[in-house]
Amino acid sequence: MKYIAHIDPETGREQTVKEHLLATAELAGSFASEFGAEKVGYRCGLLHDIGKYSEAFQRRIKGANDKVDHSTAGAQEAFNSKDVPIAFCVAGHHGGLPDLGNKKADTADDPTLFGRLKKSVEDYGAFKRDFESMPNATVPQEFCASNLDAYFFTKMLYSCLVDADFLDTESFMQNGSVVRGNYEELSSYSLKLEKYIEPWWIADNELNRTRCQILRTLLDCADSEKGLFSLTVPTGGGKTVSSMAFALKHAEANKLRRVIYVIPYTSIIDQTADVFERIFGEGSTVAHHANAEFGNDTPNEIKNRAYLASENYDAPLILTTAVQFFESLYASKPSRCRKLHNIANSVIIFDEAQMLPVPYLTSCIAAISQLVKLYGCSAVLCTATQPALSQIFEKYLPDTKIRELCPKILSKNPIFKRVSYKREEKLDDAELARRLCDERQVLCIVNSRKQAQKLFSLMEGEGVFHLSTMMYPEHRRSTLKTIRERLKAGLSCRVISTSLVEAGVDVDFPTVYRAIAGLDSIIQAAGRCNREGKRTLEQSTVHIFETEQKAPEALQQNIGAARHTLRNHEDPDSEEAIHDYFSFLLYTLKNEEELDKKSIARSVEGGAWAFRSTAERFKLIDGCGYTIYIPLSNGKSLTDELINSRPTKSLMRKLGQYAVGVYENHYKQLLNIGVIEPIAENAGILRDLTLYSENTGLAFGTDEGKGIFI
């Protein structure tokens, strides 16, 4: 009998189970070889679909309507051989990694691994005709030293399996026509960057000369051994380009495969991508973030659902968000996990590292530590205000010290002292608007999108602008272009914004007002004042004010720590003030449990083996995973194309420029009143365009949640 794994519905071509198992095993083994587990990956690939050797599955593949579980057989085979990580991976290679469950209490109906092990499965013994003996494999000892090590090894092995499974199935279904990769070598990126920075060396003022010194210092130490680094460069010090220059040269020196650049917000991913594409060329950067989940967890359906809309990090330069990066590391679904093995042997730059989410700080640092310790990665914590994280890193990487790349003599150069700070009393919105209107050019940053819209409505006169993520990215980009042009021309320009402008947005105001927030946010806001150092300190003032609007709950302790620091330090951006702020926030106001609020790290370290439950709890921004596409400008033709065709990778990237992320309650309210046309479980198209303002973007329908959404 010929045992079939896949049939192309259009041509009738068949792929045998043996062909699929061997091809998947080869791929999974090659992926796992990057971290020294090739034999385990190969065995995992061989076992994953042996349940397809059952007669029931063969009837199913040929058109019968019977539901057949083909994953449990391989999981049981692996578990009986004490290959527990393989058992988890095979059991979850379609539905997601399960929880271990309770050996005694779970029944065959439970979705846990113990439940799956008690299920009766169709006879799959025919696999022994094709595989008289299965190769054994032992998990390398270094992955068994702790529960945390074993947990992440299982995740990495799972990634190897599901990516290999998808890629082989994709190749068969597309008859080998799928084009993946074809990127330039990483070394060519270095050459392009060298050409880009050539004009830098002709420094025409002290600020540019200092930037060049920082860049030269990073290039000189890039041949350091792999490990954990910090890069503390003040705003305006050329941090983005310098960190990338270090990463590329460091990768070349240590034979690493790619650079992954992790930014804090989706709102700036396109801006950062533009910078990289100016340096490296169009199409050089894979910008990976999810406005809506169009991914598919069933490779057999690739033909119908264009799984290529989901990335697997197979490019030399990846640009992604902290939400995507860390949620993928703790995810359980195949579509979210398949990229993980491609993180191994990479340089990972965490831009604005001080913005790692405090309630998940321990679990984020545990994950970074695993990548450095066992998967050949170098991590660079890149920021103007380095958080005091060494205490947590020492727990997970006791033998690894954080190496600072930028000497204090450069980072503390007086040239970076460009603003003076002034504490204000509480300002209600009317008084704040009056003071802003008295300024010719001023930036005001508040803590919520709702307050930004309200304050904008109180502003009068020419040259008033609003910025927040209630505006789709192309709308924000256009507005920022106008703002920069007016600033350069000396025209009136008064901007009301959320904190999105603090994360690397290149604008230069003489005056900034910042609602009280975390000290790191205040210093980032100051980076938008006298950015190029062309004004005196007296001409460049950052006003820190109390607001009548209560800040989101998630900011309250940051604000408390900032008030504490501002009482004790005259200069908010001094090294002493920054260290005091983070130490007080992380180790006085908060305790160990608050840095691991959902008990993610404690659960993993305790050996709970709860992959699915952990994934459900690990949500960096609770409730905000909903997207509304705005059919304005080019967004109209793109949303029409989405409705009339399938969600390809190219289309979804373009549509991302016309997307607004919202909280669940806001999305569902608009859905319930019929102004959204749903296109996915968490995404829809706005059909009532009166709800979108050309000035402030999408209107609010309900109060926001407790999280931070800029």
Side-chain angles (χ1 to χ4, degrees):
M1 180 177 178
K2 185 179 181 182
Y3 291 91
I4 306 302
H6 301 116
I7 298 175
D8 183 339
E10 293 185 6
T11 66
R13 289 184 308 109
E14 297 177 340
Q15 182 187 38
T16 67
V17 181
K18 182 179 181 180
E19 289 168 341
H20 177 56
L21 293 184
L22 288 171
T24 302
E26 287 287 346
L27 279 172
S30 68
F31 296 156
S33 69
E34 290 292 336
F35 47 91
E38 180 176 6
K39 292 182 179 179
V40 185
Y42 188 86
R43 178 169 168 80
C44 195
L46 283 184
L47 286 174
H48 84 286
D49 268 358
I50 62 173
K52 290 185 176 181
Y53 277 99
S54 71
E55 292 185 11
F57 181 84
Q58 293 305 305
R59 291 194 298 271
R60 166 80 175 173
I61 196 73
K62 293 172 183 175
N65 292 323
D66 300 341
K67 185 176 180 180
V68 181
D69 171 7
H70 70 270
S71 302
T72 298
Q76 292 180 351
E77 192 82 18
F79 193 85
N80 291 337
S81 300
K82 296 184 170 53
D83 296 324
V84 177
I86 294 178
F88 269 109
C89 296
V90 173
H93 77 271
H94 285 310
L97 280 168
D99 292 347
L100 177 62
N102 187 296
K103 185 175 183 179
K104 292 183 178 180
D106 290 356
T107 70
D109 294 326
D110 289 310
T112 62
L113 181 61
F114 279 131
R116 297 284 290 276
L117 295 175
K118 292 179 180 179
K119 287 184 70 172
S120 296
V121 297
E122 298 283 342
D123 180 19
Y124 59 91
F127 90 93
K128 293 180 180 178
R129 300 175 193 172
D130 286 338
F131 300 94
E132 294 182 5
S133 63
M134 298 288 278
N136 294 321
T138 302
V139 175
Q141 189 60 39
E142 60 266 30
F143 300 109
C144 306
S146 70
N147 288 326
L148 184 67
D149 296 340
Y151 182 91
F152 273 95
F153 175 77
T154 304
K155 294 297 298 291
M156 283 292 193
L157 182 65
Y158 181 65
S159 171
C160 294
L161 173 62
V162 295
D163 197 27
D165 189 21
F166 272 113
L167 290 174
D168 181 63
T169 305
E170 175 185 86
S171 178
F172 170 75
M173 289 295 189
Q174 303 292 345
N175 200 17
S177 65
V178 176
V179 177
R180 282 189 175 272
N182 291 333
Y183 295 99
E184 296 181 65
E185 294 294 324
L186 200 57
S187 57
S188 71
Y189 285 69
S190 291
L191 293 174
K192 289 179 180 179
L193 184 60
E194 287 177 12
K195 184 175 181 180
Y196 179 82
I197 62 178
E198 277 179 5
W200 285 35
W201 306 119
I202 310 172
D204 56 357
N205 57 49
E206 187 179 352
L207 177 60
N208 285 338
R209 284 192 291 272
T210 305
R211 288 170 176 163
C212 288
Q213 285 181 286
I214 292 171
L215 174 59
R216 173 56 62 197
T217 300
L218 265 65
L219 289 172
D220 287 345
C221 64
D223 59 355
S224 302
E225 291 183 359
K226 294 182 293 183
L228 183 62
F229 302 91
S230 59
L231 174 58
T232 311
V233 174
T235 300
K239 176 164 54 72
T240 301
V241 172
S242 293
S243 63
M244 181 57 67
F246 168 83
L248 289 170
K249 190 173 179 183
H250 183 70
E252 188 174 358
N254 288 278
K255 295 181 171 54
L256 302 180
R257 298 187 295 168
R258 57 183 50 84
V259 174
I260 302 174
Y261 200 94
V262 182
I263 61 174
Y265 298 134
T266 301
S267 59
I268 62 168
I269 198 166
D270 295 296
Q271 171 187 292
T272 309
D274 287 345
V275 172
F276 291 154
E277 297 215 335
R278 283 202 303 272
I279 299 172
F280 304 116
E282 186 176 352
S284 60
T285 307
V286 171
H288 179 242
H289 58 101
N291 286 314
E293 289 294 340
F294 286 93
N296 176 15
D297 286 321
T298 306
N300 296 30
E301 299 175 12
I302 287 170
K303 194 73 174 175
N304 301 319
R305 296 190 59 188
Y307 189 80
L308 286 178
S310 183
E311 305 288 0
N312 71 341
Y313 283 13
D314 61 353
L317 179 55
I318 303 292
L319 175 62
T320 190
T321 62
V323 170
Q324 273 294 317
F325 186 82
F326 288 109
E327 287 192 359
S328 294
L329 282 165
Y330 283 98
S332 65
K333 291 291 187 181
S335 56
R336 298 295 298 274
C337 291
R338 61 180 295 203
K339 65 179 78 71
L340 300 185
H341 69 90
N342 276 326
I343 298 176
N345 297 313
S346 298
V347 185
I348 312 166
I349 302 172
F350 295 95
D351 191 27
E352 308 298 354
Q354 80 284 353
M355 301 185 74
L356 290 175
V358 172
Y360 298 88
L361 192 58
T362 302
S363 47
C364 288
I365 290 178
I368 295 171
S369 300
Q370 283 287 305
L371 295 172
V372 171
K373 175 185 173 185
L374 294 171
Y375 298 97
C377 293
S378 282
V380 183
L381 307 174
C382 195
T383 176
T385 53
Q386 199 63 239
L389 301 179
S390 58
Q391 185 172 324
I392 308 175
F393 271 113
E394 285 171 4
K395 174 183 177 181
Y396 295 105
L397 286 174
D399 300 323
T400 302
K401 299 298 181 184
I402 302 177
R403 288 172 275 174
E404 173 59 50
L405 295 171
C406 183
K408 287 183 181 179
I409 193 172
L410 295 177
S411 63
K412 297 303 176 184
N413 190 312
I415 194 66
F416 292 120
K417 182 68 176 175
R418 298 191 297 269
V419 305
S420 58
Y421 293 89
K422 182 178 180 181
R423 291 294 305 274
E424 305 282 356
E425 299 300 322
K426 181 179 285 188
L427 299 175
D428 62 33
D429 286 346
E431 171 63 14
L432 179 57
R434 185 192 66 75
R435 292 182 63 164
L436 296 176
C437 287
D438 287 342
E439 301 280 353
R440 182 168 178 78
Q441 293 187 337
V442 62
L443 168 66
C444 178
I445 304 173
V446 293
N447 289 324
S448 74
R449 301 186 296 184
K450 199 165 190 178
Q451 186 182 9
Q453 287 194 359
K454 180 185 176 185
L455 189 57
F456 176 84
S457 71
L458 298 175
M459 299 292 291
E460 298 176 349
E462 182 191 9
V464 179
F465 301 92
H466 164 277
L467 287 170
S468 85
T469 51
M470 295 303 279
M471 304 157 66
Y472 56 79
E474 184 57 39
H475 187 181
R476 293 197 304 270
R477 182 182 285 110
S478 173
T479 303
L480 271 168
K481 180 181 178 183
T482 303
I483 289 169
R484 291 185 178 111
E485 289 171 349
R486 294 184 70 90
L487 288 172
K488 187 174 182 179
L491 301 174
S492 62
C493 187
R494 306 174 184 94
V495 178
I496 313 299
S497 179
T498 60
S499 60
L500 73 86
V501 297
E502 295 171 0
V505 176
D506 187 7
V507 289
D508 189 353
F509 287 85
T511 304
V512 169
Y513 277 74
R514 183 46 166 115
I516 187 74
L519 191 71
D520 50 329
S521 291
I522 293 170
I523 294 171
Q524 290 289 339
R528 312 314 121 190
C529 181
N530 194 22
R531 187 172 179 84
E532 293 301 319
K534 296 179 180 178
R535 306 180 185 91
T536 66
L537 289 180
E538 293 73 22
Q539 295 172 321
S540 314
T541 306
V542 177
H543 300 264
I544 307 167
F545 66 94
E546 301 281 345
T547 174
E548 67 174 351
Q549 303 287 336
K550 185 178 179 181
E553 188 67 30
L555 284 178
Q556 291 301 322
Q557 287 189 324
N558 301 67
I559 291 172
R563 288 178 177 139
H564 161 83
T565 305
L566 292 171
R567 284 194 298 268
N568 297 319
H569 297 273
E570 184 176 340
D571 184 359
D573 59 7
S574 69
E575 181 181 359
E576 296 77 17
I578 293 167
H579 185 272
D580 187 16
Y581 167 75
F582 281 111
S583 296
F584 187 74
L585 174 66
L586 299 180
Y587 308 119
T588 301
L589 286 184
K590 297 183 181 295
N591 55 39
E592 189 174 341
E593 290 186 1
E594 288 182 286
L595 303 182
D596 185 24
K597 195 169 184 179
K598 297 291 184 70
S599 298
I600 304 294
R602 290 194 295 277
S603 172
V604 173
E605 291 170 48
W609 293 92
F611 294 102
R612 180 172 296 178
S613 300
T614 298
E616 290 170 353
R617 298 200 311 276
F618 195 94
K619 304 293 181 186
L620 293 193
I621 307 178
D622 286 332
C624 69
Y626 290 79
T627 300
I628 298 175
Y629 293 101
I630 312 299
L632 291 173
S633 185
N634 290 339
K636 175 65 170 63
S637 61
L638 292 171
T639 52
D640 287 346
E641 183 180 348
L642 180 63
I643 291 295
N644 296 320
S645 61
R646 63 186 188 180
T648 65
K649 179 168 61 176
S650 173
L651 175 59
M652 298 315 298
R653 283 183 182 171
K654 293 175 183 176
L655 262 174
Q657 295 302 304
Y658 300 89
V660 175
V662 297
Y663 285 92
E664 180 180 11
N665 55 355
H666 190 182
Y667 180 85
K668 289 189 174 178
Q669 184 190 53
L670 296 178
L671 185 65
N672 289 339
I673 62 176
V675 298
I676 290 178
E677 178 183 355
I679 56 174
E681 184 179 351
N682 65 336
I685 299 170
L686 183 68
R687 290 309 185 192
D688 184 353
L689 293 179
T690 64
L691 295 175
Y692 193 91
S693 163
E694 64 178 353
N695 293 317
T696 58
L698 185 66
F700 279 97
T702 59
D703 290 338
E704 292 193 73
K706 294 184 178 181
I708 308 170
F709 207 154
I710 61 170

